Amino acid sequence: MNDMTLTDWQAKAAALSIEGRAFVDGVYRDASGSRTFDCKSPIDGRVLARVADCGEAEVDFAVEAARRAFDERTWCGLDPRRRKAILLRWAASIRAHLDELALLETLDAGKPIGDTTTVDVPGAAYCVEWFAEAIDKIGGEVAPADQHLVGLVTREPIGVVAAVVPWNFPILMAAWKFAPALAVGNSVVLKPSEKSPLTAIRIAQLAHEAGIPAGVFNVLPGGGEAGKLLALHRDVDCIAFTGSTKVGKLIMQYAGQSNLKRVWLELGGKSPNIVLADCPDLDRAAKAAAGAIFYNMGEMCTAGSRLLVARGIKEAFLDKLVRAAAGYRPGNPLDPRTSMGAIIDRAQFDRVLSYIEDGRKEASLLLGGEAASVVSGGLYVEPTIFDEVRHDAGIAREEIFGPVLSVIAFDTVDEAVRIANDTEYGLAAAVWTSDLTTAHEVSRRLRAGTVWVNCYDEGGDMNFPFGGYRQSGNGRDKSLHALEKYTELKSTLLRLR
Ligand code: NAP
Ligand code: MG
């Protein structure tokens, strides 16, 4: 597979037959009135498929199917070992369809094929495996109680879980929700972004073939309205959302307006990457800093979009950073050598360029700053670095979700921590230092759900809870803690005599 070329992938793409229907109650179905929207590729603007545009009728139908499956206990009533076996079969099938799924993801979201084949699709399969493996090993508690009582504390599936996810890691962000939710026995209705619905639609069939009963895993492609309808639905017990802080706030309101469903939010970020004067390895730090903002075109919730550098080492560090940034060049996402793919759509492209225009006024442009053209067509942006950014400038405060880095100099560790924490977000942060005490002290003071020391974006395994402080959201994906989101705690007290 590693020796596939651009031409090989293009040939595979030409031969693909793409499913665009919703998957509900075990069957692919059109939306009522056969409503569809065009699913376009950011690579060349080509229409890949006409995809079911799900609305109220489909949302109601899918939630009903999910509820029925839950009430009939076709899934939650299975022995955990049985659910594990089915989920493992599904994960194996996702791995067996690696090429096809990676290709769909690349065509649909413009991500480099070298990433979708190694990160997105295997990562989703691994996530399903991880929660499948966990589920037959976790027990409840027997609580201390009066001698005439037995007190059990158990976790039970919550019921119907809606998952609404974004386009930057379509299959992976979806898996972070549906894998733990399904593992503990819930029914799931997944709404992928209308910008990237194809892998979700495809794996629904694989789930069904692996033995997940009808109604347990449903995929409803559609726009934001479908997400809103799910969040407002009175028979959805829990909504797990990944996306922007703006929409996250709406989701909470919808829950309040309807049935107080459980709300879990993984939202935006403006993560600080702090390079202290005693950074142990400037070369490695520069490479990591470039990866932190240019990987996946900067369409990363954890993007290290604010680089805080000690003034004394700034010039030397920026030299190295610019050299490291040369490793990210926009190119055809179907070419395995491409390190940077296409921007998802025109609206996002315009948004990124408008921040770059602001940056030109607010700061000093060190690298990039232009749209890039690539022979395949599509929309691309050069890796862009602004130096001498004031930390209260728009480009340093707002999430751009593109390959645009703000460099901010500082003089003391206290100042660095203050600037790092002076944000409405709190998803991730990093600090580079040779001193163990400084590493611990600074990590403790950083208000973020993940702190990296002398690295960035490490921790691809599932053991680390992932999520944000403050307006980066609530609850955690990944790790056993994710199961808390999809279960209710129950106390059962048995009187012995
Ligand atoms: P978005 O606009 O908030 O959309 C996210 C999802 O919500 C999409 O499926 C979208 O559907 C849907 N949606 C839009 N309006 C809605 C509404 N009123 N009610 C319910 N659902 C609605 O975010 P995005 O542009 O797709 O993704 C980028 C954002 O995701 C960034 O802020 C990024 O930081 C965040 N993100 C966070 C994490 C994390 O783990 N913290 C991970 C990845 C991304 P349509 O797309 O079909 O409109
Ligand atoms: Mg698309």
Side-chain angles (χ1 to χ4, degrees), residues 38-42 48 107-110 193-198 344:
D38 286 345
C39 172
K40 292 186 185 160
S41 176
L48 295 166
L107 291 170
D108 201 0
S193 168
E194 66 197 312
K195 295 165 194 160
S196 58
L198 298 182
I344 187 83

Side-chain angles (χ1 to χ4, degrees), residues 9-347:
W9 284 112
Q10 284 170 326
K12 259 187 184 290
L16 261 187
S17 102
I18 298 178
E19 179 59 71
R21 288 173 295 172
F23 191 86
V24 182
D25 208 12
V27 182
Y28 280 119
R29 301 168 193 269
D30 289 317
S32 59
S34 299
R35 277 177 300 115
T36 58
F37 61 90
D38 286 345
C39 172
K40 292 186 185 160
S41 176
I43 298 178
D44 50 15
R46 186 163 64 89
V47 176
L48 295 166
R50 297 173 66 84
V51 171
D53 187 7
C54 295
E56 195 168 359
E58 293 72 32
V59 166
D60 286 346
F61 187 65
V63 173
E64 255 169 55
R67 172 63 57 195
R68 197 177 327 114
F70 189 74
D71 288 347
E72 289 172 3
R73 302 184 62 78
T74 53
W75 179 244
C76 64
L78 292 183
D79 175 337
R81 283 170 68 183
R82 187 84 194 104
R83 283 204 304 272
K84 166 173 124 174
I86 293 171
L87 289 170
L88 287 178
R89 202 149 61 216
W90 186 25
S93 168
I94 291 172
R95 287 191 190 280
H97 291 80
L98 171 68
D99 279 9
E100 181 194 347
L101 289 166
L103 184 55
L104 281 175
E105 199 83 317
T106 288
L107 291 170
D108 201 0
K111 297 165 70 86
I113 192 79
D115 294 341
T116 54
T117 48
T118 56
V119 177
D120 300 72
V121 178
Y126 166 56
C127 178
V128 175
E129 286 157 2
W130 198 91
F131 284 105
E133 290 288 1
I135 202 58
D136 63 346
K137 298 171 188 69
I138 308 167
E141 303 158 26
V142 181
D146 179 290
Q147 60 167 325
H148 300 300
L149 286 176
V150 174
L152 304 181
V153 182
T154 51
R155 286 202 168 269
E156 301 195 344
I158 196 164
V160 175
V161 173
V164 176
V165 297
W167 44 264
N168 61 334
F169 287 85
I171 192 173
L172 192 58
M173 291 303 100
W176 285 9
K177 313 285 189 219
F178 66 64
L182 289 172
V184 290
N186 295 287
S187 299
V188 171
V189 180
L190 167 64
K191 192 207 88 68
S193 168
E194 66 197 312
K195 295 165 194 160
S196 58
L198 298 182
T199 44
I201 293 173
R202 181 68 183 99
I203 59 169
Q205 172 81 37
L206 304 182
H208 186 67
E209 286 164 10
I212 293 185
V216 171
F217 182 64
N218 308 280
V219 177
L220 285 187
E225 189 60 22
K228 177 177 176 178
L229 289 164
L230 283 166
L232 279 169
H233 204 290
R234 291 186 173 271
D235 207 24
V236 169
D237 299 297
C238 163
I239 181 149
F241 173 80
T242 297
S244 60
T245 294
K246 184 170 146 235
V247 176
K249 288 181 181 183
L250 293 174
I251 300 274
M252 263 200 173
Q253 291 178 28
Y254 300 149
Q257 284 164 26
S258 51
N259 63 342
L260 274 186
K261 56 181 67 63
R262 304 291 176 262
V263 177
W264 303 110
L265 305 171
E266 298 286 348
L267 308 176
K270 193 74 191 177
S271 298
N273 182 13
I274 307 172
V275 185
L276 297 179
D278 67 345
C279 169
D281 183 341
L282 287 185
D283 289 300
R284 202 157 56 79
K287 272 200 190 121
I293 185 67
F294 301 134
Y295 181 74
N296 207 52
M297 299 70 80
E299 293 166 353
M300 298 277 291
C301 51
T302 54
S305 50
R306 292 187 294 149
L307 176 66
L308 277 50
V309 194
R311 205 175 301 278
I313 59 164
K314 195 183 88 170
E315 289 318 309
F317 189 73
L318 292 188
D319 272 356
K320 293 176 189 296
L321 176 65
V322 167
R323 256 178 282 141
Y328 295 87
R329 287 231 333 267
N332 186 336
L334 285 174
D335 188 334
R337 292 164 306 182
T338 291
S339 50
M340 236 181 149
I343 302 293
I344 187 83
D345 66 4
R346 169 67 65 178

